[in-house]
Amino acid sequence: MKENWQEQLQTLLNCDLKTLYPLARSLNRKLEFYVGPTNSGKTYNAMQKLKEANSGLYLAPLRLLALEGYEDLKESNINASLITGEEQMLNEEAAHVCSTIEMLDFDLDVDVAVIDEVQMLEDADRGWAWVNAIIGVPAKKVIMTGSVNALDAIKRIATYLGEELEIIKHQRKNELKVLPKWTPLEKLEDGTALIAFSRSDVLKLKQKLQKKYSVSVIYGNLSPEVRRDEAKRFREKKTQILIATDAIAMGLNLPIKTILFTTDEKFDGKSRRKITVNEIVQIAGRAGRYGHFEAGYLGATRRDVLAYIALEFEAPIRTIKPPFKVKINNNQLEALASHIKTNSLTKVLKFFADNMYFSGPFRAANISSMLEAAKIVDTRFNLKLEDKYLLAQAPITTKSTIILQAYESYIASVIKKRVCHYKPSITLPKKAITQKDLLLVEDEVKKISLYLWLSYKMPELFPDHDKAYILRNSFNSFIEKSLKGNLVEEDNSEKTFRKRKPFGEKKETESKKNFKPRRRKTI
C-alpha cells in the first residue's frame, strides 16, 4: 500500500545513522581508542600502526596537522596523498591519504584509519564530522586518539554500532607540575608560552614583551602556514617566548617548558566566562614536551589567575555526554525540501533540527556558521537549493567585510554561471604599521582560502587556483615579516583608505610609497 504524505514524512524524519554507510558496515570493523593526555605518545603510536598498514587514512582536525601527517609518511618513504578543502596533492601510486576530517571519502576503503582528537565530537560547529567519521569511515581497523573525557562517548557509539572496541590507555611520559608562585612578565625563562584568549591580547603582549625578549605568536586568525612558521622559529630557539591563544591546544608539538596563563577568562562567542578544567588540561599538557624536558610546568602571570588555575587543574575533567550532533546530508536536504515544498535553505535546516529523529545517542543539529550563510544565500531567489547547500558550507566568517563582499560576489558568479577570477581586495604595503593593517591582510588570506575551496568544488567557475595559491604565499610572507616587527595598537589609518586601481595596474614606484593596506572595491 502506498504511503500518504504524512507517512512518507515520518519515514524521512526517522534515521538510523549507521545504515547511511553501507561500505563501513560491510567491513566487520574493529575499533581501537588510544586514550590519554597530551604528551603520552598516543598519536605517535597510532601513526606507527598507519605506517605498517598496506593502505591507510589519517583524518586530522586541522589542515596544518594533515600536512604534518603527510610529511611524516613521506619521510618514512611511504607514498601519500594530501586532501584538504583548499589543496590536493594527489599521488597515483599512494595507498595512504592524509586529509582534514571534513574531506573524508566514505567510498574509499582502507586497512587502517586514524581519527585524531576524537574529543572534538563535542564541538558545536564541527563535532558532526567526527561523529560521521567514527560511524562511517570504511576501514578494517579504526584507531581513534583522544583525551579521557571522550571515553564514555566512544563506548556509547561502539555499543550503538555493535562493533568491537579495544581501549588502549596511555600515560603522560613526564610529570606536569603547578608552580607555587605566580610569574612576573619581567622574569620569564626561555621556553615559556604565555596564554591569552584573543588576537588583541596576544598582540598587546607581543608589543610589550618584544622590548626584552624575542617572541613568536600563534592565534586562530593566522593561516596554518604562518602558525607553522611562528612555531618553527620557537622550536629552533630563534625566539625565547611564545605568546598564543588556545590555538596551540591541538596538535602542535612545541618545546615548551612552562605554560603561563595571563588570564582565566575567555569570550566563547556568546559570553565572557571562566575557562574550564578541560580547557586548562588540554592547554597545560603542551608543557614539558617529552625528550626535551624532564617535567612540564604550569603557572600564571597573576596571583588570582594562578589560584584559579591550580584549583581547577585538580578538579575532575568533564565527561562528554550524549546526544552527539548530526548535520543534515544532501539526500535528507532534498527529500525534506521536496516534502515541505520550499527552496529556503534556512527553513529546511530549521525543520531538520526541530523534527529529525536519530536512533542511538544522536540528535539533529545545525551549525551556526551554516545558518548564517543560509540567510545570505536565501536572499538569492534564483539560486538552486543544491547550490545554496554547497555555498553554505564554504569557509566564511561574517565578521569580515572583505570576506562577506567576496562571498556575495562568488554567489553572483554561481547564479550567472560566470567565470570568477581571483582579485585581491587590498594592496600589500611595504610593512604593516598597525594591528588593523595586519588584520586586513589576515582576512585577505582567509578570502583566498574561500576562493581555493570553491576552486575545488566548481573549478570551471573559479579557475584561478594557481594564482590564488601563489598570492597566498606572498600574503603569508608579509604576515610573517610583520609579526617579527613592531605593531602599533592605536589605529588612525582609516583616513588613509582610498579607492585604488585594480590589482596589478599600479606602477611599481607608486606601490613603494604605500605603508598601509588599502581596501579595494574590486573582489
Side-chain angles (χ1 to χ4, degrees), residues 118 159 197 260 409 443 445 454 484:
V118 289
T159 300
F197 289 100
L260 301 177
S409 172
D443 282 352
V445 171
L454 288 165
K484 293 171 186 173

Side-chain angles (χ1 to χ4, degrees), residues 108-126:
L108 177 69
D109 60 301
V110 294
D111 291 328
V112 172
V114 173
I115 305 175
D116 207 0
E117 306 282 5
V118 289
Q119 71 276 1
M120 285 289 291
L121 65 85
E122 187 185 31
D123 187 83
D125 281 337
R126 298 180 66 211

Side-chain angles (χ1 to χ4, degrees), residues 216-403:
S216 287
V217 298
I218 294 175
Y219 50 88
N221 207 53
L222 292 177
S223 70
E225 292 81 9
V226 176
R227 282 189 236 178
R228 193 180 192 198
D229 181 73
E230 289 292 293
K232 183 180 178 184
R233 291 173 62 219
F234 183 73
R235 191 180 294 118
E236 295 178 351
K237 302 191 186 309
K238 292 178 181 175
T239 55
Q240 301 163 283
I241 306 298
L242 173 67
I243 308 170
T245 63
D246 46 0
I248 70 161
M250 196 185 302
L252 281 172
N253 290 315
L254 295 162
I256 299 168
K257 180 181 180 181
T258 305
I259 280 189
L260 301 177
F261 285 83
T262 62
T263 178
D264 54 10
E265 293 184 339
K266 69 177 287 188
F267 182 73
D268 61 8
K270 296 178 181 177
S271 61
R272 194 161 184 82
R273 60 165 175 80
K274 291 281 191 182
I275 54 177
T276 66
V277 59
N278 291 36
E279 291 166 332
I280 293 168
V281 168
Q282 186 72 19
I283 295 168
R286 297 289 159 197
R289 186 180 173 194
Y290 182 69
H292 290 257
F293 307 101
E294 291 183 4
Y297 297 91
L298 170 62
T301 58
R302 288 177 9 210
R303 185 179 287 105
D304 60 322
V305 174
L306 179 60
Y308 177 79
I309 295 293
L311 187 65
E312 281 293 296
F313 186 67
E314 297 301 324
I317 65 166
R318 186 175 58 81
T319 299
I320 298 171
K321 300 288 186 186
F324 313 117
K325 295 177 181 176
V326 177
K327 187 186 81 165
I328 195 169
N329 65 30
N330 274 312
N331 292 335
Q332 291 164 341
L333 178 86
E334 291 169 11
L336 290 177
S338 173
H339 268 72
I340 62 176
K341 293 184 168 32
T342 183
N343 190 48
S344 166
L345 179 60
T346 306
K347 286 181 181 177
V348 177
L349 292 177
K350 287 183 176 177
F351 188 84
F352 168 82
D354 292 341
N355 298 285
M356 197 76 182
Y357 171 78
F358 287 94
S359 303
F362 311 103
R363 73 176 173 88
N366 282 323
I367 309 164
S368 57
S369 59
M370 186 182 278
L371 282 172
E372 288 179 343
K375 290 173 185 173
I376 296 172
V377 296
D378 274 336
T379 62
R380 306 301 185 96
F381 300 108
N382 46 354
L383 195 59
K384 289 189 282 188
L385 185 64
E386 61 186 283
D387 289 334
K388 287 183 179 182
Y389 183 57
L390 175 67
L391 289 165
Q393 295 176 78
I396 67 162
T397 170
T398 54
K399 295 176 183 176
S400 166
T401 304
I402 283 178
I403 294 167

Side-chain angles (χ1 to χ4, degrees), residues 384 387 411-420 460-461:
K384 289 189 282 188
D387 289 334
I411 291 170
S413 293
V414 173
I415 292 171
K416 296 173 183 176
K417 292 184 169 46
R418 180 186 65 203
V419 171
C420 179
E460 67 289 348
L461 293 181

Side-chain angles (χ1 to χ4, degrees), residues 32-46 115-120 143-152 154 166-174 176 249-251 278 281-286 317 320:
E32 293 182 357
F33 185 23
Y34 290 14
V35 60
T38 304
N39 243 327
S40 62
K42 57 186 185 296
T43 303
Y44 172 83
N45 291 338
I115 305 175
D116 207 0
E117 306 282 5
V118 289
Q119 71 276 1
M120 285 289 291
I143 301 175
M144 297 164 279
T145 72
S147 52
V148 70
N149 62 316
L151 183 55
D152 286 348
I154 299 304
E166 183 181 357
I167 296 160
I168 295 108
K169 294 183 178 178
H170 289 65
Q171 302 297 323
R172 186 180 165 91
K173 292 181 177 290
N174 57 14
L176 185 57
M250 196 185 302
N278 291 36
V281 168
Q282 186 72 19
I283 295 168
R286 297 289 159 197
I317 65 166
I320 298 171

